[in-house]
Amino acid sequence: MSNQQSSVITPRAEDYSKWYNNIVKEAQLAENSAVRGCMVIKPHGYALWENMQAVLDKMFKDTGHQNAYFPLFVPKSLFEAEEKNAEGFAKECAVVTHYRLMTDPNDPSKLVVDPAAKLQEELIVRPTSEAIIWNTYRNWISSYRDLPILVNQWANVVRWEMRTRLFLRTAEFLWQEGHTAHETKKEAVEEAQRMQEVYARFAEDYMAMPVWKGRKSDSERFAGAEDTYTIEALMQDGKALQAGTSHFLGQNFAKAFDVKFQTNANKEEYVWATSWGVSTRLIGGLIMTHSDDKGLVLPPRLAPTQVMIVPIPKVNGELKEIAENLMTELKGMDVRVKADYDKKRSFGFKLNEYDLRGVPITIGVGKRDLENGMVQIARRDTLEKELVPLEGLAEYIKELLGQIQDNMFLKALRFRQAHTTEVNDYDTFKEVLESKGGFILAHWDGTEETEEKIKEETKATIRCIPMEGDLSEGVCMITGKPSAQRVVFAKAY
RNA sequence: CGGGGCGUGGCGCAGUCCGGUUAGCGCACCUGUUUUGGGAACAGGGGGCCGCAGGUUCGAAUCCUGCCGCCCCGACCA
């Protein structure tokens, strides 16, 4: 089987978009569906999402949150209550107008919408759930004793995007959205920042994807928020990806939905709110941070299968027994391990397949090396191979998984460092953006006009206004006006 | 919505300009045999309303008209 194009991946350097699509398909993460802009997440992709969910869910619970579930539909009257939010999402809403179909009078084999079944009030398919949730919270809150409310939901949402891309921007996507209600502004701001920190920790410790933490500029802020905290990652093509956002919503939704509480001084006040979310887009980020021209590369902490044992070539009793023992031992150490005894496919085919699917470690168990008490270990991140003694192998593997995790983070971090540039004038800004892309740290006068001008002329946007690092003052690279601190620019997904 | 490209077995394509046997190739699939240390070989086999609808013609994947869909690049966005 030579030159099999179903598994040839377009190199990144040749066509980055194509490469990305190839990875998604060849690693069997997802595929396009019959519904425009909506993907089918395949078992391997969904297993990855489940692992991400499990970790995040625990982090949410460890910070005091509970899960709940709210409806898919939002009555239009509720949706429009918070004006800015409604305006921000209006252009990308799917709307349910009818509740019944009927046989087409002109063609009995077809169905048409029954005009008699028009809804009195349209239902919006949620693009986000603030409206329905805050309408509910009104009934849950009357006293300061009812606060805080710390609720998260795992759900799907629909945003009718003009152009979609698998995982990065689909019309329907899976996410979690936390919605919290607080007594004071201070508490709400702290909550929003806490969840930004949770996201950053998840991205770096589990996805091995370094992120910039910061706040959004006015123009990039979430519709209806007072402040948006973001984590921004850098992809291998030099473009930024907004990987998670956490919003301080002020009292906007409390006012729109009339959610008040009585303080312990018997005064009536509006509730303070936050919302925060990450989505299946993270899988896109994961792919574009680590994967190579051979396929998917997954960090061990999230990989559905961490270790694959492949007997070479004929599975006889002895090889199988060794594989089974090793598997038992590794499972006992909480390693996600599988063995491939399929006799129909060759050793080489299998290895390529697991490289494609991003399995962090494959163990080749064969007679030749076993005579010396050795097995062949191949690590996906560096593509290095080595012979390792069977004696103490489980401990070695366990240790190696940790090393791979760390190595992937460091590699991504070095890439980001190499693609983060401090510039002081607009010409250099443009030149860096063109030549190597990445994050550019520059002074900005804080006005929307300047931001807009830069976006128009270069396509770069302010990804975030950093909250840590070098926060010294300067002058705007364009207008020369005072700048409070450098901000992070990049072209973004 | 603007610009570009494309619709031919599951996937990727050739054939279309210049109409003419039974529409072809690679991969995948099925059966069998030999294989298996980085994508095995051979033999046999199955699978096509050539995107849809009209039209021209003795004859259309091919020419004409209309429609539909998909992909890529922008505008919009997590």
Side-chain angles (χ1 to χ4, degrees):
Chain A
M1 213 183 306
S2 58
N3 190 27
Q4 184 189 108
Q5 80 244 88
S6 69
S7 61
V8 167
I9 290 171
T10 305
R12 284 161 289 186
E14 190 183 313
D15 185 336
Y16 195 82
S17 297
K18 224 173 187 172
W19 167 81
Y20 176 81
N21 284 329
N22 285 166
I23 297 281
V24 172
K25 284 185 185 119
E26 296 303 328
Q28 296 178 56
L29 298 175
E31 61 191 29
N32 283 310
S33 72
V35 188
R36 185 198 156 270
C38 298
M39 64 180 165
V40 173
I41 304 175
K42 299 179 77 176
H44 191 226
Y46 202 79
L48 186 53
W49 178 239
E50 284 177 317
N51 286 347
M52 297 171 111
Q53 276 185 305
V55 173
L56 285 165
D57 200 64
K58 178 156 193 313
M59 289 174 122
F60 299 155
K61 298 208 170 123
D62 287 347
T63 43
H65 303 86
Q66 292 179 292
N67 286 331
Y69 188 79
F70 296 85
L72 170 66
F73 303 115
V74 187
K76 201 183 80 181
S77 57
L78 292 185
F79 187 76
E80 65 201 6
E82 210 294 324
E83 271 180 47
K84 283 196 177 122
N85 187 251
E87 197 190 307
F89 285 103
K91 283 175 292 179
E92 48 190 44
C93 286
V95 185
V96 179
T97 56
H98 292 74
Y99 58 86
R100 192 164 63 210
L101 297 173
M102 57 186 274
T103 303
D104 185 347
N106 302 317
D107 182 351
S109 69
K110 295 278 197 306
L111 291 173
V112 291
V113 172
D114 184 346
K118 192 168 173 3
L119 288 170
Q120 287 209 317
E121 179 179 3
E122 292 90 345
L123 296 174
I124 315 299
V125 181
R126 64 181 168 210
T128 180
S129 301
E130 276 79 4
I132 190 78
I133 287 177
W134 277 87
N135 186 61
T136 308
Y137 281 0
R138 182 177 55 238
N139 303 320
W140 290 6
I141 298 167
S142 48
S143 153
Y144 72 96
R145 294 174 200 272
D146 298 323
L147 297 171
I149 291 177
L150 303 173
V151 162
N152 173 64
Q153 84 165 343
W154 290 96
N156 58 340
V157 289
V158 169
R159 297 183 186 175
W160 215 261
E161 303 289 352
M162 289 172 172
R163 238 185 96 220
T164 58
R165 294 192 68 186
L166 293 166
F167 289 116
L168 294 173
R169 184 172 303 107
T170 44
E172 179 195 17
F173 57 94
L174 306 185
W175 75 343
Q176 58 68 219
E177 45 182 327
H179 295 273
T180 68
H182 304 267
E183 224 179 309
T184 63
K185 175 177 180 177
K186 181 167 174 282
E187 239 183 78
V189 170
E190 280 169 5
E191 165 76 3
Q193 293 184 355
R194 179 180 309 118
M195 297 324 286
Q196 178 193 33
E197 186 57 38
V198 164
Y199 288 155
R201 249 177 46 224
F202 175 74
E204 301 199 334
D205 295 351
Y206 288 84
M207 297 176 66
M209 179 175 83
V211 292
W212 269 99
K213 283 180 294 181
R215 44 163 56 88
K216 286 294 189 185
S217 65
D218 292 3
S219 70
E220 296 273 329
R221 183 181 302 144
F222 176 73
E226 299 274 300
D227 217 340
T228 288
Y229 303 98
T230 181
I231 56 169
E232 299 282 328
L234 186 62
M235 305 294 102
Q236 293 181 61
D237 62 346
K239 283 166 80 173
L241 183 77
Q242 180 173 307
T245 47
S246 179
H247 315 292
F248 166 59
L249 301 173
Q251 294 173 309
N252 295 339
F253 284 88
K255 284 176 180 165
F257 291 92
D258 198 32
V259 187
K260 295 179 200 165
F261 71 102
Q262 269 180 294
T263 67
N264 66 350
N266 202 24
K267 274 176 62 184
E268 192 172 59
E269 277 177 24
Y270 285 110
V271 172
W272 297 87
T274 82
S275 69
W276 28 274
V278 294
S279 72
T280 36
R281 165 178 261 202
L282 286 179
I283 295 176
L286 195 61
I287 294 167
M288 289 197 291
T289 301
H290 302 299
S291 297
D292 60 22
D293 292 346
K294 283 199 78 163
L296 191 62
V297 180
L298 291 176
R301 294 184 93 174
L302 293 176
T305 302
Q306 296 172 310
V307 177
M308 184 60 78
I309 302 173
V310 188
I312 330 164
K314 277 205 172 79
V315 187
N316 56 36
E318 188 203 2
L319 289 185
K320 188 162 182 184
E321 194 187 322
I322 288 168
E324 287 292 315
N325 289 342
L326 189 54
M327 209 162 23
T328 306
E329 204 180 342
L330 283 166
K331 278 181 181 164
M333 299 171 85
D334 289 322
V335 173
R336 295 187 287 273
V337 57
K338 282 186 181 170
D340 184 346
Y341 300 134
D342 188 344
K343 289 175 183 170
K344 290 273 160 55
R345 302 182 309 161
S346 71
F347 179 65
F349 182 92
K350 290 176 185 176
L351 292 188
N352 278 291
E353 176 87 355
Y354 297 127
D355 281 349
L356 212 50
R357 290 169 67 101
V359 177
I361 298 175
T362 48
I363 304 177
V365 182
K367 239 177 90 183
R368 201 172 68 203
D369 300 321
L370 276 177
E371 280 166 10
N372 304 314
M374 308 287 252
V375 292
Q376 177 191 296
I377 302 282
R379 56 187 279 190
R380 181 62 184 89
D381 63 328
T382 57
L383 294 171
E384 286 165 357
K385 279 185 295 189
E386 57 180 339
L387 290 175
V388 177
L390 197 53
E391 186 74 33
L393 184 64
E395 288 76 14
Y396 181 86
I397 293 291
K398 182 83 178 169
E399 167 74 22
L400 184 57
L401 286 169
Q403 278 179 32
I404 292 174
Q405 182 80 32
D406 295 345
N407 177 57
M408 286 177 66
F409 178 74
L410 283 176
K411 191 178 168 195
L413 187 62
R414 278 196 298 271
F415 178 86
R416 190 184 72 175
Q417 279 162 353
H419 292 81
T420 299
T421 317
E422 211 175 274
V423 312
N424 294 313
D425 65 275
Y426 196 37
D427 285 339
T428 311
F429 179 90
K430 284 192 261 197
E431 194 235 292
V432 170
L433 202 60
E434 277 311 304
S435 57
K436 67 170 183 176
F439 287 132
I440 303 182
L441 303 175
H443 280 292
W444 160 63
D445 63 15
T447 68
E448 231 170 290
E449 296 77 64
T450 305
E451 187 182 3
E452 185 57 30
K453 176 180 156 78
I454 295 168
K455 186 178 175 182
E456 289 261 309
E457 293 176 359
T458 68
K459 303 253 164 69
T461 51
I462 296 175
R463 299 322 302 155
C464 72
I465 303 164
M467 295 157 73
E468 53 193 28
D470 176 14
L471 301 179
S472 55
E473 297 175 9
V475 293
C476 176
M477 65 173 170
I478 300 212
T479 61
K481 288 183 194 160
S483 155
Q485 64 173 94
R486 287 181 192 274
V487 298
V488 180
F489 286 91
K491 286 189 196 170
Y493 272 96

